[in-house]
Amino acid sequence: CEALKEKLTELIGSIRDGADFKWSKYFLQLLQFLFDNMLSNENSLIRVLSLKVICELLIRHPEQFNDYENFTISKLLEASKDQEKEVQRGSDNAVSLSIAIFSPKVCLQALQFLIKLNDLSVNQVAIKLLTKVSNYKLALNKLKLIKH
């Protein structure tokens, strides 16, 4: 457990320091590893550190998430139901970053998924997604008015 904490902490530092992202072909495996630890590790610190790695990746390498946006949002929403407040806060932060980074189309897809779930615990996220989609629509309408 201590070794995993150290490796996750090192990974956060490497990503922040701008280390080469040569292992991008293994991104899905890394993401799956982080999600597995985030959702099922008994140690809450490991779950929090996994979320921090995901946040750093979202900030520094958002392009790596291009094929995994919906997958990412759904896993982060699962983590928001964790019993530990620190994990919930980390999940909320990661979801907020995802919403800021991912396209409005992806946010709309995630919103549709959330509505189908009918889960009250994710309503705040649904409102954030709806806000992003609404702001995008408003911006598009303003552009159309300017062009005419």
Side-chain angles (χ1 to χ4, degrees), residues 15-72:
I15 296 167
R16 282 182 183 159
D17 292 342
D20 274 343
F21 203 65
K22 293 179 183 175
W23 37 271
S24 63
K25 66 180 179 177
Y26 302 107
F27 182 74
L28 181 57
Q29 290 89 346
L30 172 64
L31 202 56
Q32 188 63 53
F33 170 79
L34 292 168
F35 287 142
D36 288 346
N37 276 296
M38 176 187 76
L39 295 171
S40 62
N41 197 294
E42 294 175 5
N43 187 319
S44 64
L45 183 56
I46 297 292
R47 297 193 308 270
V48 169
L49 286 171
S50 296
L51 281 161
K52 287 183 179 184
V53 172
I54 292 167
C55 286
E56 288 301 322
L57 288 169
L58 282 165
I59 292 167
R60 308 269 193 274
H61 301 285
E63 71 284 353
Q64 293 295 324
F65 289 86
N66 285 345
D67 295 327
Y68 313 112
E69 294 106 335
N70 289 324
F71 176 64
T72 299

Side-chain angles (χ1 to χ4, degrees), residues 103-121:
S103 73
K105 180 181 176 185
V106 169
C107 292
L108 183 59
Q109 290 169 343
L111 178 61
Q112 290 168 336
F113 174 74
L114 289 174
I115 290 169
K116 288 177 186 174
L117 282 179
N118 198 20
D119 184 345
L120 295 177
S121 67

Side-chain angles (χ1 to χ4, degrees), residues 6-7 13-14 19 22 25 28 32 43 49 51 74 77 88 94 101 114 119 122 124 132 135 137:
E6 283 182 35
K7 292 298 178 187
S14 294
K22 293 179 183 175
K25 66 180 179 177
L28 181 57
Q32 188 63 53
N43 187 319
L49 286 171
L51 281 161
S74 69
L77 290 174
Q88 290 173 6
I101 291 167
L114 289 174
D119 184 345
V122 293
Q124 185 177 6
K132 176 157 185 170
N135 288 340
K137 290 276 192 188

